[in-house]
Amino acid sequence: MNEENMSYSTHDTLHQQTPSIGHGQAHSKIILMGEHAVVYGVPAIALPFTAASTKVIVQKNNHSVSYFESEYFTGTAAEMPDEMNNLKQVIQLTLDSFALPKEPLHYKVTSNIPVKRGMGSSAAVSVALVRAITDYYQVHLSDYQLKMIVNQAEIIAHETTSGIDTLMASSHRPVMYQKSEPPVPFDINLKAFLIVADSGIEGQTKIAVGKVRQLYEQRPSMVKDALKSIERFVKLGYQAIKQQDTNELGRLLTYNHYYLNQLGISDPKLDHIIRAAWYAGALGAKLTGGGLGGCAIALAETQTIAQTIADAMKQAGAQNTWILNLAMNEEEN
Ligand code: MEV
């Protein structure tokens, strides 16, 4: 199969009998360090966040048109609002790429990934959709095909994308990621806990990415310096993880936040939540993901301190918090 060619299969190769239901699944992600800079080729470190995930079910629709069911919108596929153009595109590209029949289908999305919080919800729903459609038609889907389809949809959702959200929606290991380079999966085994706090404010990745680009055009040397600093912190952060130096990693998270702030993508409420984490004893804290709202993360030495920090972040306005044990890479609530 020629992977450069987006048409991967023909109708003839489909199994005679499709199963009655196609299933697709994907999860959320947390960017530990390097968001935004990753769009400009700087490496970033991200973790899978399986506590927040999405499931898609595809089945035949007994009416004449396709139907889309989700918490955000339920109605005919033709009526899907413009905000869902990325998902429309995912469906279209998947059907076209595999030369699948255009028959009425029922798409049902269930997700507990908070939307617009920089947790990669759009990429996760897209990944789960492609998987469910290809599962329904029993066509083989390679990682490359999945990435090509979802990244095109992510460009609609975020305008510019490094591809990190698409990758992490189906990655089960932490990854050091650099645009256009093969991702480097690795293990995190730290005697530390990561607190994830949802500010409850809808983040706006598309606007945030545009804001950084505009700043780059207006003040290129300032932004280049910030990107260089972030690159250094990410590389040192990767070393700190390898050397199990949690104090150093915490400091680097905070430095990274300082430069994200310089890039203008933090938010007063988010900063308030991050400050609360610092005062409550975090080794470091920063925003994560797109910014302008969304989520913050903080690093703690013990589970007790992590709980104190999570409580302080809630007190400061966070709507929801999760605690990840970095020794085992598991989530606890
Ligand atoms: C969004 O989760 C991460 C950003 O760096 C955008 C991207 O990498 O595509 C802000």
Side-chain angles (χ1 to χ4, degrees):
M1 188 185 336
N2 176 7
E3 298 226 310
E4 298 306 317
N5 185 338
M6 279 296 291
S7 186
Y8 301 115
S9 163
T10 67
H11 196 174
D12 299 342
T13 62
L14 291 178
H15 290 208
Q16 290 295 311
Q17 289 264 301
T18 50
S20 50
I21 297 186
H23 295 272
Q25 196 270 343
H27 52 251
S28 171
K29 62 92 187 46
I30 297 297
I31 298 185
L32 196 61
M33 299 182 77
E35 52 276 272
H36 284 284
V38 69
V39 172
Y40 297 86
V42 168
I45 302 170
L47 325 180
F49 185 47
T50 52
S53 64
T54 181
K55 282 197 177 96
V56 174
I57 287 175
V58 171
Q59 53 195 318
K60 189 171 172 353
N61 194 18
N62 289 325
H63 300 279
S64 56
V65 290
S66 289
Y67 201 75
F68 196 94
E69 193 183 338
S70 72
E71 202 180 317
Y72 178 70
F73 163 84
T74 294
T76 66
E79 289 166 343
M80 282 163 79
D82 288 351
E83 278 211 6
M84 295 175 94
N85 277 347
N86 56 325
L87 301 183
K88 280 193 205 169
Q89 174 84 344
V90 161
I91 294 171
Q92 194 63 42
L93 277 172
T94 310
L95 297 176
D96 288 351
S97 302
F98 293 94
L100 297 169
K102 304 266 182 336
E103 58 187 348
L105 294 174
H106 185 130
Y107 305 94
K108 183 174 179 190
V109 179
T110 37
S111 178
N112 67 351
I113 307 178
V115 293
K116 299 187 179 173
R117 305 295 214 290
M119 284 183 155
S121 156
S122 65
V125 174
S126 294
V127 166
L129 248 179
V130 181
R131 286 180 163 163
I133 297 169
T134 50
D135 183 50
Y136 178 73
Y137 286 110
Q138 295 193 297
V139 289
H140 174 73
L141 172 73
S142 73
D143 287 350
Y144 177 85
Q145 292 163 336
L146 179 67
K147 190 178 82 180
M148 289 301 286
I149 293 170
V150 176
N151 275 348
Q152 286 190 59
E154 280 292 281
I155 288 167
I156 294 179
H158 294 166
E159 219 164 87
T160 312
T161 176
S162 66
I164 196 165
D165 289 9
T166 306
L167 172 77
M168 294 313 295
S170 51
S171 172
H172 291 280
R173 290 176 72 194
V175 169
M176 175 84 153
Y177 175 81
Q178 193 164 8
K179 211 170 156 179
S180 314
E181 297 289 332
V184 181
F186 68 106
D187 291 318
I188 295 185
N189 189 13
L190 295 174
K191 281 196 189 116
F193 294 81
L194 192 75
I195 304 100
V196 180
D198 176 6
S199 71
I201 311 166
E202 290 197 346
Q204 305 156 59
T205 301
K206 191 170 179 166
I207 295 174
V209 168
K211 209 172 163 187
V212 176
R213 194 189 46 239
Q214 216 173 12
L215 193 64
Y216 198 118
E217 282 158 14
Q218 286 160 357
R219 302 178 63 191
S221 59
M222 183 277 232
V223 173
K224 276 183 196 160
D225 283 351
L227 295 177
K228 253 189 219 140
S229 298
I230 293 173
E231 177 162 18
R232 201 161 60 84
F233 300 148
V234 172
K235 288 179 174 165
L236 289 171
Y238 185 67
Q239 272 174 34
I241 292 169
K242 294 271 168 194
Q243 290 161 2
Q244 302 187 313
D245 189 346
T246 42
N247 286 306
E248 171 73 351
L249 181 62
R251 266 193 297 275
L252 291 162
L253 295 184
T254 298
Y255 295 161
N256 191 168
H257 182 71
Y258 173 80
Y259 280 95
L260 287 166
N261 231 327
Q262 293 275 300
L263 294 176
I265 50 123
S266 195
D267 163 280
K269 188 173 169 196
L270 206 52
D271 277 343
H272 184 58
I273 292 169
I274 290 165
R275 263 196 307 276
W278 290 333
Y279 295 145
L283 298 173
K286 65 184 275 290
L287 70 81
T288 178
L292 296 181
C295 292
I297 52 172
L299 192 69
E301 260 176 309
T302 66
Q303 185 154 20
T304 311
I305 301 175
Q307 194 54 60
T308 306
I309 294 168
D311 292 345
M313 290 171 102
K314 270 200 175 147
Q315 197 79 40
Q319 239 176 35
N320 202 2
T321 56
W322 297 261
I323 297 173
L324 279 74
N325 183 345
L326 295 178
M328 297 164 349
N329 247 325
E330 280 175 4
E331 300 82 24
E332 295 164 20
N333 218 327

